[in-house]
Amino acid sequence: MKIIMLGAPGAGKGTQAKMIAEKYGVPHVSTGDIFRSNIKGGTELGKLAKSYMDQGQLVPDDVTIQMLLDRISQDDCAKGYILDGFPRTIPQAESLTKALDDRREMIDYAIDVDVPDEAIVNRMSGRRACVGCGATYHIVYNAPKTENICDVCGEKLILRDDDKPETVQKRLSVYHEQTQPLIDYYNNEGILVSVDGTKDLKDVFADIVAMLEA
Ligand code: AP5
Ligand code: MG
């Protein structure tokens, strides 16, 4: 099973990707999480990525593409993966298509989690992310069992640096300019499906599972 999650920042890509990955036993591959773990580890890649992420800009394609192609060549990705946050530009999509063509593989579905911009800013201000494992919560819609503590690994939950309202606005405009064209790209490939991401997160998941098992 090879799936791409599309959707605006805060649409719920990460939330759904994690649930799909758990249900079907394939890795959840989030380029944002890989960048954040590099920032935490103080690597050169992390320093470079942070300078873009804090501005709400995309990390350059060459760096991102190489990092993602390396990740999906690892053994745990042999049976598939859920890509969350990649591709985000047409050159990234074309590089992925070409790399998969070379291996005679293909993506099964590109799932667009559709949420209007108005709903996004509200979600982001309530989001909390785990500094340890990257798990994502919402203070109202998906609260952890203990306030500010991760259910999964027990580490502290924080508001992401790029979730400040002005940075969220920038990320949304970058999304509309650079990432939204991928909806047409995957529609033309015949693998696009769209789900209503404004529903309760369990209902969004049920819609995705119903589509995958139809
Ligand atoms: P990334 O980490 O991918 O951020 P993003 O796309 O902006 O998306 P988010 O993680 O903010 O949102 P999400 O859709 O995963 O929503 P979530 O499930 O958390 O990327 C960060 C940065 O890294 C980028 O800006 C860029 O700089 C860089 N980067 C990453 N990939 C790159 C690439 N390929 N190329 C270049 N640069 C790249 O949900 C949001 C909140 O809403 C949560 O609190 C959640 O609990 C809640 N929620 C979820 N679903 C629902 C629901 N149905 N109802 C109510 N609340 C919900
Ligand atoms: Mg995410």
Side-chain angles (χ1 to χ4, degrees), residues 14 84 127 160:
D84 161 19
R127 172 163 62 182
R160 258 168 52 180

Side-chain angles (χ1 to χ4, degrees), residues 97-210:
T97 303
K98 179 168 183 315
L100 292 178
D101 279 351
D102 290 348
R103 301 184 209 170
R104 301 191 190 289
E105 294 176 4
M106 58 188 288
I107 297 292
D108 300 300
Y109 296 102
I111 304 176
D112 178 38
V113 183
D114 188 22
V115 177
D117 287 8
E118 306 81 78
I120 300 279
V121 181
N122 171 36
R123 280 193 189 181
M124 301 303 232
S125 58
R127 172 163 62 182
R128 297 294 180 271
C130 175
V131 292
C133 70
T136 300
Y137 300 86
H138 191 282
I139 52 175
V140 179
Y141 309 121
N142 184 22
K145 293 195 180 79
T146 311
E147 198 178 333
N148 284 326
I149 300 293
C150 180
D151 293 349
V152 182
C153 73
E155 286 248 29
K156 198 172 66 168
L157 303 181
I158 55 152
L159 181 70
R160 258 168 52 180
D161 284 343
D162 58 348
D163 279 350
K164 289 176 294 197
E166 55 291 9
T167 316
V168 171
Q169 289 297 351
K170 178 68 195 167
R171 285 160 62 199
L172 278 169
S173 67
V174 168
Y175 167 77
H176 290 300
E177 268 166 44
Q178 301 196 52
T179 307
Q180 212 171 17
L182 296 181
I183 293 178
D184 281 343
Y185 179 93
Y186 286 109
N187 197 17
N188 290 335
E189 302 255 304
I191 58 167
L192 181 79
V193 285
S194 192
V195 291
D196 177 357
T198 63
K199 293 184 185 176
D200 182 272
L201 57 92
K202 290 194 180 61
D203 294 332
V204 179
F205 184 57
D207 287 351
I208 292 174
V209 171

